[in-house]
Amino acid sequence: MVPIITVFERSPDGGKGLSRDMRVRWALAEVGQPYDVRTVSFAAMKQSAHLKRQTFGQIPTYEEGDLVLFESGSIVLHIAQNHSGLLPADTNAAARAITWMFAALNTVEPPILELQNAKFAEGDRPWAAERMPLVRDRIRERLAQLSDYLGDADWLEGGFTAGDLMMVHVVLRLRPSGLLDEFPNIASYVARGESRPAFRRAYEAQLPENVSKPGRG
Ligand SMILES: N[C@@H](CCC(=O)N[C@@H](CS)C(=O)NCC(=O)O)C(=O)O
């Protein structure tokens, strides 16, 4: 059965692969699972047909027969648990990989999302410029901790896992901020993730949906 994922009709990033469907596409590409895509407009995302799939009116979603999932972490975990290639066979090693998925989503991603809010949602507030260094320092703190842990290893837990997939995708959003350049081992880690053939396939797959639409500016 070919799963269906829901993605933006037009991603606001214009095809840079930052939307969270990219994590799901990447995971599916890593395990060699083909998929179909349903695109939704911003308006459709907030209407009942989509809200039945995603309570909060967001993408991505994942459908496989009767199963409907949302939350990119849950979807990637489901893919990893039902195919080989993204979790080690050893139970404890798999638990460590899952721990890194949660760390990416719960500990590293929140301050990164704050930077997006500070720039795009709050950039015109009178206090925005004063707040920005605090927001950037919170990210630096997490990156420094991640950098210390990673050291000169290629991946977080031996071989590449779903934990790396999630961490790389969470962190690569920082590239335009310049913060990655302050942590060369994390910059290399992200580049290593992006150079995986499955990442490239996922990236190429999302491009036509996001950059080739008639009328796109
Ligand atoms: N925690 C959710 C976040 C989903 C999310 O924020 N999706 C964004 C796209 S990357 C979205 O749908 N934004 C539009 C909106 O929230 O209205 C996940 O990981 O799936």
Side-chain angles (χ1 to χ4, degrees), residues 104-153:
L105 295 170
N106 286 348
T107 305
V108 178
E109 188 164 52
I112 294 175
L113 296 181
E114 267 314 295
L115 181 62
Q116 304 291 300
N117 288 337
K119 271 205 249 175
F120 302 115
E122 300 162 357
D124 57 351
R125 303 297 173 93
W127 35 261
E130 198 179 345
R131 181 165 180 253
M132 190 58 91
L134 303 174
V135 173
R136 289 174 67 90
D137 277 350
R138 280 189 207 113
I139 297 173
R140 275 192 189 97
E141 187 183 352
R142 289 294 177 242
L143 293 182
Q145 292 161 325
L146 181 64
S147 170
D148 285 349
Y149 178 83
L150 185 63
D152 60 5

Side-chain angles (χ1 to χ4, degrees), residues 8 19-20 23 42 45-46 57-60 71-73:
F8 279 132
S19 298
R20 289 169 179 81
R23 302 165 182 181
F42 270 95
M45 283 166 68
K46 309 302 174 193
Q58 298 181 314
I59 60 100
E71 285 296 332
S72 57

